[in-house]
Coordinates of all heavy atoms in Angstrom, one line a residue:
H208 N -19.9 0.2 22.8 CA -20.1 1.5 22.1 C -21.1 1.4 21.0 O -21.2 0.3 20.3 CB -18.7 2.0 21.6 CG -18.7 3.4 21.2 ND1 -19.2 3.9 20.0 CD2 -18.1 4.5 21.8 CE1 -19.0 5.2 20.0 NE2 -18.3 5.6 21.0
D209 N -21.9 2.4 20.8 CA -22.9 2.3 19.8 C -22.4 2.3 18.3 O -23.1 2.0 17.4 CB -24.0 3.4 19.9 CG -23.4 4.8 19.7 OD1 -22.2 5.0 19.5 OD2 -24.3 5.8 19.8
K210 N -21.1 2.6 18.2 CA -20.5 2.6 16.8 C -19.7 1.3 16.6 O -19.0 1.1 15.5 CB -19.6 3.8 16.6 CG -20.3 5.1 16.7 CD -21.3 5.3 15.5 CE -21.9 6.7 15.5 NZ -22.9 6.8 14.3
S211 N -19.7 0.4 17.5 CA -19.0 -0.9 17.4 C -19.5 -1.8 16.3 O -20.7 -2.1 16.3 CB -19.0 -1.6 18.7 OG -18.6 -3.0 18.6
N212 N -18.7 -2.2 15.3 CA -19.1 -3.1 14.3 C -19.4 -4.4 14.9 O -20.3 -5.2 14.5 CB -18.0 -3.2 13.2 CG -18.1 -2.1 12.3 OD1 -19.1 -1.5 12.1 ND2 -17.0 -1.9 11.6
E213 N -18.6 -4.9 15.9 CA -18.8 -6.2 16.6 C -20.2 -6.2 17.2 O -20.9 -7.2 17.1 CB -17.8 -6.4 17.7 CG -18.0 -7.7 18.5 CD -16.9 -7.9 19.5 OE1 -15.8 -7.2 19.5 OE2 -17.1 -8.7 20.4
A214 N -20.7 -5.1 17.8 CA -22.0 -5.0 18.4 C -23.1 -5.2 17.3 O -24.1 -5.9 17.5 CB -22.2 -3.7 19.2
F215 N -22.8 -4.6 16.2 CA -23.8 -4.8 15.0 C -23.8 -6.2 14.5 O -24.9 -6.7 14.3 CB -23.2 -3.8 13.9 CG -24.0 -4.0 12.6 CD1 -25.2 -3.4 12.4 CD2 -23.4 -4.8 11.6 CE1 -25.9 -3.7 11.2 CE2 -24.0 -5.0 10.4 CZ -25.3 -4.4 10.2
I216 N -22.7 -6.9 14.4 CA -22.7 -8.2 14.1 C -23.4 -9.1 15.1 O -24.1 -10.1 14.8 CB -21.2 -8.7 13.8 CG1 -20.7 -8.0 12.6 CG2 -21.2 -10.2 13.5 CD1 -21.5 -8.1 11.3
N217 N -23.1 -8.8 16.4 CA -23.8 -9.6 17.4 C -25.3 -9.5 17.3 O -26.0 -10.5 17.5 CB -23.4 -9.0 18.8 CG -22.0 -9.5 19.3 OD1 -21.5 -10.6 18.8 ND2 -21.3 -8.8 20.1
S218 N -25.8 -8.4 17.0 CA -27.3 -8.1 16.9 C -27.9 -8.6 15.7 O -29.2 -8.8 15.6 CB -27.6 -6.6 17.2 OG -27.1 -5.8 16.1
T219 N -27.2 -8.8 14.6 CA -27.8 -9.1 13.2 C -27.5 -10.6 12.9 O -28.4 -11.3 12.5 CB -27.3 -8.2 12.1 OG1 -25.9 -8.1 12.1 CG2 -27.9 -6.8 12.4
L220 N -26.2 -10.9 13.0 CA -25.8 -12.3 12.4 C -25.6 -13.3 13.5 O -26.0 -14.4 13.4 CB -24.5 -12.1 11.7 CG -23.9 -13.4 11.1 CD1 -24.8 -14.1 10.2 CD2 -22.5 -13.0 10.3
L221 N -25.0 -12.9 14.7 CA -24.7 -13.9 15.7 C -25.9 -14.1 16.6 O -25.8 -14.1 17.8 CB -23.5 -13.5 16.5 CG -22.2 -13.4 15.7 CD1 -21.1 -12.9 16.5 CD2 -21.8 -14.8 15.2
Q222 N -27.0 -14.5 16.0 CA -28.3 -14.7 16.7 C -28.8 -16.1 16.2 O -28.4 -16.7 15.3 CB -29.3 -13.7 16.2 CG -29.0 -12.3 16.6 CD -29.1 -12.0 18.1 OE1 -30.1 -12.5 18.7 NE2 -28.2 -11.2 18.6
N223 N -29.7 -16.6 17.0 CA -30.5 -17.9 16.7 C -29.5 -19.0 16.3 O -28.5 -19.2 17.0 CB -31.5 -17.6 15.6 CG -32.5 -16.5 16.0 OD1 -32.9 -16.5 17.2 ND2 -32.8 -15.6 15.1
F224 N -29.7 -19.6 15.2 CA -28.8 -20.7 14.8 C -27.3 -20.3 14.6 O -26.4 -21.0 15.0 CB -29.2 -21.4 13.4 CG -30.5 -22.0 13.5 CD1 -31.6 -21.5 12.8 CD2 -30.8 -23.1 14.3 CE1 -32.9 -22.2 12.8 CE2 -32.0 -23.8 14.4 CZ -33.0 -23.3 13.7
A225 N -27.1 -19.1 14.1 CA -25.8 -18.6 13.8 C -25.0 -18.3 15.1 O -23.8 -18.0 15.0 CB -25.8 -17.4 12.9
A226 N -25.7 -18.2 16.2 CA -25.0 -18.0 17.5 C -24.0 -19.0 17.8 O -23.0 -18.8 18.7 CB -26.0 -17.8 18.6
K227 N -24.0 -20.2 17.1 CA -23.1 -21.2 17.4 C -21.7 -21.0 16.7 O -20.7 -21.7 17.0 CB -23.6 -22.6 16.9 CG -24.9 -23.1 17.7 CD -25.4 -24.3 17.1 CE -26.6 -24.8 17.9 NZ -27.1 -26.1 17.3
A228 N -21.6 -20.0 15.8 CA -20.4 -19.8 15.1 C -19.3 -19.3 16.0 O -19.6 -18.6 17.1 CB -20.7 -18.7 14.0
N229 N -18.1 -19.5 15.7 CA -16.9 -19.0 16.4 C -16.7 -17.5 15.9 O -16.5 -17.3 14.7 CB -15.7 -19.9 16.1 CG -14.4 -19.3 16.6 OD1 -14.4 -18.9 17.8 ND2 -13.4 -19.2 15.8
F230 N -16.7 -16.6 16.8 CA -16.5 -15.2 16.4 C -15.1 -14.8 16.8 O -14.7 -15.0 18.0 CB -17.5 -14.3 17.1 CG -17.4 -12.9 16.7 CD1 -17.7 -12.5 15.4 CD2 -16.9 -11.9 17.5 CE1 -17.6 -11.2 14.9 CE2 -16.8 -10.6 17.2 CZ -17.1 -10.2 15.8
V231 N -14.4 -14.1 15.8 CA -13.1 -13.6 16.0 C -13.1 -12.1 16.0 O -13.4 -11.5 14.9 CB -12.1 -14.2 15.0 CG1 -10.6 -13.6 15.3 CG2 -12.1 -15.7 15.0
T232 N -12.9 -11.5 17.1 CA -13.0 -10.0 17.2 C -11.7 -9.3 16.8 O -10.6 -10.0 16.8 CB -13.3 -9.6 18.6 OG1 -13.5 -8.1 18.6 CG2 -12.3 -10.0 19.6
M233 N -11.8 -8.1 16.3 CA -10.6 -7.3 16.1 C -10.1 -6.5 17.3 O -9.0 -6.3 17.5 CB -10.9 -6.3 14.9 CG -10.6 -7.0 13.5 SD -10.7 -5.8 12.2 CE -9.6 -6.6 10.9
K234 N -11.1 -6.0 18.0 CA -10.8 -5.1 19.1 C -10.3 -6.0 20.3 O -10.9 -6.9 20.6 CB -12.1 -4.3 19.5 CG -12.0 -3.5 20.8 CD -11.0 -2.3 20.6 CE -11.0 -1.4 21.8 NZ -10.5 -1.9 23.0
N235 N -9.2 -5.6 20.9 CA -8.7 -6.3 22.1 C -8.4 -5.2 23.1 O -8.9 -4.0 23.0 CB -7.4 -7.1 21.7 CG -6.4 -6.3 21.0 OD1 -6.0 -5.2 21.4 ND2 -5.9 -6.8 19.9
S236 N -7.7 -5.6 24.2 CA -7.6 -4.8 25.4 C -6.5 -3.7 25.2 O -6.3 -2.9 26.2 CB -7.4 -5.6 26.6 OG -6.2 -6.4 26.5
A237 N -5.8 -3.7 24.2 CA -4.7 -2.7 24.0 C -5.3 -1.3 24.0 O -6.4 -1.1 23.6 CB -3.9 -3.0 22.7
D238 N -4.4 -0.3 24.3 CA -4.8 1.0 24.4 C -5.1 1.6 23.1 O -5.9 2.6 23.0 CB -3.8 1.8 25.2 CG -3.6 1.5 26.6 OD1 -4.6 1.0 27.2 OD2 -2.5 1.8 27.2
S239 N -4.4 1.2 22.0 CA -4.6 1.8 20.7 C -4.5 0.6 19.7 O -4.1 -0.5 19.9 CB -3.4 2.7 20.4 OG -2.2 2.0 20.3
A240 N -5.0 1.0 18.5 CA -5.0 0.0 17.4 C -3.5 -0.4 17.0 O -3.2 -1.6 16.8 CB -5.7 0.5 16.2
V241 N -2.7 0.6 17.1 CA -1.3 0.3 16.8 C -0.7 -0.7 17.8 O 0.0 -1.7 17.4 CB -0.4 1.6 16.8 CG1 1.1 1.3 16.7 CG2 -0.8 2.5 15.7
S242 N -0.9 -0.5 19.0 CA -0.4 -1.5 20.0 C -1.2 -2.8 20.1 O -0.6 -3.8 20.5 CB -0.4 -0.8 21.4 OG -1.7 -0.4 21.8
G243 N -2.4 -2.8 19.5 CA -3.1 -4.0 19.5 C -3.0 -4.8 18.2 O -3.6 -5.9 18.1

Side-chain angles (χ1 to χ4, degrees):
H208 196 285
D209 64 354
K210 296 295 185 182
S211 165
N212 280 337
E213 179 179 344
F215 170 79
I216 296 301
N217 281 335
S218 66
T219 55
L220 179 54
L221 296 174
Q222 298 286 323
N223 303 320
F224 294 116
K227 294 179 181 178
N229 171 49
F230 183 69
V231 181
T232 182
M233 276 189 152
K234 175 67 171 67
N235 53 49
S236 60
D238 291 338
S239 67
V241 170
S242 57

